[in-house]
Amino acid sequence: MNHNNQTWVTEFLLLGLSDDPQIQLLLIVLFFGVFLGTVVGSLLIIYLVLIDSQLHTPMYFFLCNLSLADIGVTITTVPQALVQMLSRKKTISFLGCGAQIFFSTTFGATQCSLLAIMSYDRYLAICDPMHYSLIMTGKVCGKLALVCWVSGIVASYVDTMFTLCLPYQGDNRIAHFFCEAPVLLTLASGDTHTAEMAIFFIGVWILLAPMSLILISYGFIIVTVIRMKTTSRRLKAFSTCGSHLLVVILFYGTLIIGYMTPKSSREQFKRVAVFYGVINPMLNPLIYSLRNKEVKRAFRNAVNRK
């Protein structure tokens, strides 16, 4: 490391999304509403799946895991952003920034894997219904969910270690509303090539590999649905996959746009991050509840019992 007159960074200054007081007020209301909506909606889905025996299926088991990951992403990013907007002190400690990178990446990477597993589950249910119950047993589902969480932790550990092991001196201003590895690398004082390559390969693993599985699964699903003879069966198949496909498009679309943005366009990066880091976790419970008859039925039954 090159020791010079610059001081080592012990904390970072989060510049946030805007300096305008009126825009900040709107953002505070938006972020707080999204935070409540995500936590309450995700917990409601988990509660309904636990109490309703008809929802004790692989699809809803993975949906519970996705809801936990949504809560994790929201708790990791939104409260810190609200604190930064409400207080005059906009700083976050070096270790606090590292912790935020680790947990936000863990939950985000886990979401990627879970969405891929959920697409595979839909593929088996539609394309191979005769063997579905034999393949997607409780034990297999548990192992697949465990793989998703472990892969998320491993990917996050690699990203965090390669990012934090770099020297940081001088400029400590992060043009973002929370700590993310690609943004932090722009502030590093040393050579970031190795860290960038490590993060790139991790991105291929946690983003492109699951996305490839999703595309292959839905390719087979579309072919199978087109070959169905009755319209009612086609509509039922599309309705069961519609919610999941909508979530996949919103999540992967914003994530790919964000992480494929050139370094010179960090303003765009943080705006897109609002969607995959804040808005999208709230949309998941809304999409799965509003477009899913079984979830709405379970909710009505729960209300009637109360």
Side-chain angles (χ1 to χ4, degrees):
M1 295 183 184
N2 182 26
H3 295 275
N4 50 36
N5 293 329
Q6 290 181 317
T7 57
W8 293 95
V9 172
T10 58
E11 62 182 16
F12 293 100
L13 177 65
L14 290 168
L15 300 181
L17 292 166
S18 175
D19 293 329
D20 190 317
Q22 291 184 336
I23 295 178
Q24 278 203 339
L25 180 60
L26 290 174
L27 289 172
I28 290 169
V29 174
L30 172 66
F31 275 45
F32 184 71
V34 167
F35 177 78
L36 287 180
T38 302
V39 174
V40 173
S42 297
L43 288 176
L44 179 61
I45 285 180
I46 295 171
Y47 172 72
L48 292 175
V49 173
L50 289 175
I51 67 168
D52 195 308
S53 60
Q54 294 187 38
L55 299 183
H56 293 175
T57 62
M59 183 178 75
Y60 292 106
F61 170 74
F62 293 123
L63 179 57
C64 280
N65 280 270
L66 183 64
S67 297
L68 286 174
D70 288 336
I71 293 172
V73 169
T74 302
I75 291 176
T76 304
T77 58
V78 177
Q80 179 67 42
L82 286 172
V83 169
Q84 302 298 326
M85 287 186 282
L86 289 169
S87 64
R88 292 184 178 181
K89 189 177 181 181
K90 310 294 184 181
T91 57
I92 182 172
S93 68
F94 187 88
L95 291 178
C97 191
Q100 193 170 54
I101 291 173
F102 177 79
F103 287 109
S104 63
T105 307
T106 295
F107 293 121
T110 302
Q111 285 177 317
C112 291
S113 300
L114 284 170
L115 288 173
I117 295 300
M118 290 173 75
S119 69
Y120 177 68
D121 173 76
R122 292 299 84 205
Y123 157 74
L124 288 176
I126 293 173
C127 301
D128 194 11
M130 298 296 292
H131 298 95
Y132 177 75
S133 59
L134 297 176
I135 298 173
M136 299 300 287
T137 62
K139 190 175 182 180
V140 170
C141 291
K143 288 181 178 179
L144 289 174
L146 181 61
V147 168
C148 291
W149 286 99
V150 171
S151 65
I153 293 171
V154 172
S156 179
Y157 177 80
V158 173
D159 276 8
T160 306
M161 288 301 102
F162 272 95
T163 303
L164 297 187
C165 285
L166 293 168
Y168 292 91
Q169 295 174 281
D171 190 8
N172 69 336
R173 295 170 299 174
I174 299 177
H176 212 329
F177 64 96
F178 71 97
C179 292
E180 276 195 283
V183 181
L184 209 62
L185 287 180
T186 62
L187 302 179
S189 304
D191 183 14
T192 62
H193 177 73
T194 303
E196 288 174 352
M197 291 303 296
I199 292 174
F200 172 78
F201 284 116
I202 289 295
V204 171
W205 173 29
I206 67 173
L207 188 61
L208 296 184
M211 185 178 174
S212 299
L213 178 59
I214 291 171
L215 292 176
I216 293 171
S217 297
Y218 273 96
F220 282 110
I221 288 172
I222 291 170
V223 171
T224 302
V225 171
I226 291 174
R227 289 176 177 175
M228 290 179 178
K229 296 180 180 180
T230 60
T231 305
S232 60
R233 289 186 64 196
R234 290 178 184 174
L235 292 174
K236 184 178 180 180
F238 276 125
S239 66
T240 57
C241 296
S243 300
H244 178 252
L245 191 57
L246 184 58
V247 169
V248 167
I249 292 171
L250 290 171
F251 180 71
Y252 276 96
T254 54
L255 202 60
I256 290 172
I257 291 171
Y259 275 83
M260 291 182 69
T261 302
K263 288 184 178 180
S264 59
S265 305
R266 287 305 169 191
E267 194 68 26
Q268 279 186 329
F269 186 92
K270 66 181 180 181
R271 289 174 182 173
V272 174
V274 174
F275 286 92
Y276 65 74
V278 181
I279 304 295
N280 208 66
M282 181 197 67
L283 293 178
N284 288 349
L286 286 176
I287 291 170
Y288 279 111
S289 59
L290 293 177
R291 290 179 56 85
N292 195 300
K293 294 180 180 179
E294 292 178 329
V295 173
K296 289 190 284 188
R297 175 198 53 75
F299 178 73
R300 287 195 297 269
N301 291 340
V303 171
N304 291 334
R305 282 197 295 269
K306 295 295 181 182

PDB file of all heavy atoms in Angstrom, residues 185-196:
ATOM      1  N   LEU A 185     -15.776   0.504  -5.124  1.00  0.00           N
ATOM      2  CA  LEU A 185     -14.521   0.281  -5.849  1.00  0.00           C
ATOM      3  C   LEU A 185     -14.024   1.551  -6.531  1.00  0.00           C
ATOM      4  O   LEU A 185     -12.812   1.716  -6.730  1.00  0.00           O
ATOM      5  CB  LEU A 185     -14.705  -0.824  -6.894  1.00  0.00           C
ATOM      6  CG  LEU A 185     -14.818  -2.259  -6.381  1.00  0.00           C
ATOM      7  CD1 LEU A 185     -14.989  -3.229  -7.536  1.00  0.00           C
ATOM      8  CD2 LEU A 185     -13.601  -2.647  -5.554  1.00  0.00           C
ATOM      9  N   THR A 186     -14.923   2.453  -6.894  1.00  0.00           N
ATOM     10  CA  THR A 186     -14.515   3.688  -7.561  1.00  0.00           C
ATOM     11  C   THR A 186     -13.740   4.610  -6.618  1.00  0.00           C
ATOM     12  O   THR A 186     -13.080   5.545  -7.088  1.00  0.00           O
ATOM     13  CB  THR A 186     -15.744   4.434  -8.113  1.00  0.00           C
ATOM     14  OG1 THR A 186     -16.615   4.790  -7.028  1.00  0.00           O
ATOM     15  CG2 THR A 186     -16.503   3.561  -9.095  1.00  0.00           C
ATOM     16  N   LEU A 187     -13.823   4.370  -5.319  1.00  0.00           N
ATOM     17  CA  LEU A 187     -13.123   5.197  -4.334  1.00  0.00           C
ATOM     18  C   LEU A 187     -11.809   4.593  -3.876  1.00  0.00           C
ATOM     19  O   LEU A 187     -11.052   5.243  -3.146  1.00  0.00           O
ATOM     20  CB  LEU A 187     -14.014   5.424  -3.102  1.00  0.00           C
ATOM     21  CG  LEU A 187     -15.382   6.073  -3.334  1.00  0.00           C
ATOM     22  CD1 LEU A 187     -16.126   6.201  -2.012  1.00  0.00           C
ATOM     23  CD2 LEU A 187     -15.216   7.439  -3.987  1.00  0.00           C
ATOM     24  N   ALA A 188     -11.516   3.368  -4.277  1.00  0.00           N
ATOM     25  CA  ALA A 188     -10.305   2.688  -3.812  1.00  0.00           C
ATOM     26  C   ALA A 188      -9.057   3.382  -4.334  1.00  0.00           C
ATOM     27  O   ALA A 188      -9.022   3.871  -5.468  1.00  0.00           O
ATOM     28  CB  ALA A 188     -10.321   1.226  -4.246  1.00  0.00           C
ATOM     29  N   SER A 189      -8.022   3.409  -3.479  1.00  0.00           N
ATOM     30  CA  SER A 189      -6.767   4.073  -3.840  1.00  0.00           C
ATOM     31  C   SER A 189      -5.842   3.156  -4.633  1.00  0.00           C
ATOM     32  O   SER A 189      -4.968   3.628  -5.357  1.00  0.00           O
ATOM     33  CB  SER A 189      -6.050   4.553  -2.572  1.00  0.00           C
ATOM     34  OG  SER A 189      -6.889   5.390  -1.809  1.00  0.00           O
ATOM     35  N   GLY A 190      -5.967   1.843  -4.471  1.00  0.00           N
ATOM     36  CA  GLY A 190      -5.077   0.901  -5.137  1.00  0.00           C
ATOM     37  C   GLY A 190      -5.652   0.364  -6.435  1.00  0.00           C
ATOM     38  O   GLY A 190      -6.688   0.831  -6.933  1.00  0.00           O
ATOM     39  N   ASP A 191      -4.993  -0.634  -6.979  1.00  0.00           N
ATOM     40  CA  ASP A 191      -5.421  -1.286  -8.217  1.00  0.00           C
ATOM     41  C   ASP A 191      -6.647  -2.145  -7.947  1.00  0.00           C
ATOM     42  O   ASP A 191      -6.624  -3.041  -7.093  1.00  0.00           O
ATOM     43  CB  ASP A 191      -4.279  -2.152  -8.763  1.00  0.00           C
ATOM     44  CG  ASP A 191      -4.634  -2.803 -10.095  1.00  0.00           C
ATOM     45  OD1 ASP A 191      -5.643  -2.372 -10.713  1.00  0.00           O
ATOM     46  OD2 ASP A 191      -3.931  -3.745 -10.504  1.00  0.00           O
ATOM     47  N   THR A 192      -7.720  -1.871  -8.665  1.00  0.00           N
ATOM     48  CA  THR A 192      -8.994  -2.564  -8.427  1.00  0.00           C
ATOM     49  C   THR A 192      -9.265  -3.667  -9.441  1.00  0.00           C
ATOM     50  O   THR A 192     -10.349  -4.254  -9.428  1.00  0.00           O
ATOM     51  CB  THR A 192     -10.161  -1.558  -8.469  1.00  0.00           C
ATOM     52  OG1 THR A 192     -10.214  -0.956  -9.782  1.00  0.00           O
ATOM     53  CG2 THR A 192      -9.990  -0.468  -7.422  1.00  0.00           C
ATOM     54  N   HIS A 193      -8.290  -3.956 -10.319  1.00  0.00           N
ATOM     55  CA  HIS A 193      -8.544  -4.916 -11.404  1.00  0.00           C
ATOM     56  C   HIS A 193      -8.930  -6.292 -10.870  1.00  0.00           C
ATOM     57  O   HIS A 193      -9.908  -6.897 -11.336  1.00  0.00           O
ATOM     58  CB  HIS A 193      -7.302  -5.036 -12.295  1.00  0.00           C
ATOM     59  CG  HIS A 193      -7.463  -6.047 -13.384  1.00  0.00           C
ATOM     60  ND1 HIS A 193      -8.270  -5.828 -14.491  1.00  0.00           N
ATOM     61  CD2 HIS A 193      -6.936  -7.304 -13.541  1.00  0.00           C
ATOM     62  CE1 HIS A 193      -8.236  -6.893 -15.271  1.00  0.00           C
ATOM     63  NE2 HIS A 193      -7.440  -7.800 -14.740  1.00  0.00           N
ATOM     64  N   THR A 194      -8.177  -6.792  -9.879  1.00  0.00           N
ATOM     65  CA  THR A 194      -8.459  -8.124  -9.331  1.00  0.00           C
ATOM     66  C   THR A 194      -9.833  -8.163  -8.686  1.00  0.00           C
ATOM     67  O   THR A 194     -10.597  -9.123  -8.879  1.00  0.00           O
ATOM     68  CB  THR A 194      -7.388  -8.515  -8.290  1.00  0.00           C
ATOM     69  OG1 THR A 194      -6.096  -8.470  -8.898  1.00  0.00           O
ATOM     70  CG2 THR A 194      -7.643  -9.914  -7.757  1.00  0.00           C
ATOM     71  N   ALA A 195     -10.158  -7.127  -7.916  1.00  0.00           N
ATOM     72  CA  ALA A 195     -11.464  -7.066  -7.256  1.00  0.00           C
ATOM     73  C   ALA A 195     -12.586  -6.989  -8.282  1.00  0.00           C
ATOM     74  O   ALA A 195     -13.629  -7.640  -8.137  1.00  0.00           O
ATOM     75  CB  ALA A 195     -11.520  -5.865  -6.316  1.00  0.00           C
ATOM     76  N   GLU A 196     -12.384  -6.201  -9.339  1.00  0.00           N
ATOM     77  CA  GLU A 196     -13.411  -6.080 -10.376  1.00  0.00           C
ATOM     78  C   GLU A 196     -13.639  -7.402 -11.095  1.00  0.00           C
ATOM     79  O   GLU A 196     -14.785  -7.763 -11.398  1.00  0.00           O
ATOM     80  CB  GLU A 196     -13.006  -5.000 -11.378  1.00  0.00           C
ATOM     81  CG  GLU A 196     -13.117  -3.583 -10.830  1.00  0.00           C
ATOM     82  CD  GLU A 196     -12.578  -2.548 -11.796  1.00  0.00           C
ATOM     83  OE1 GLU A 196     -11.980  -2.960 -12.822  1.00  0.00           O
ATOM     84  OE2 GLU A 196     -12.749  -1.350 -11.529  1.00  0.00           O
TER      85      GLU A 196
END
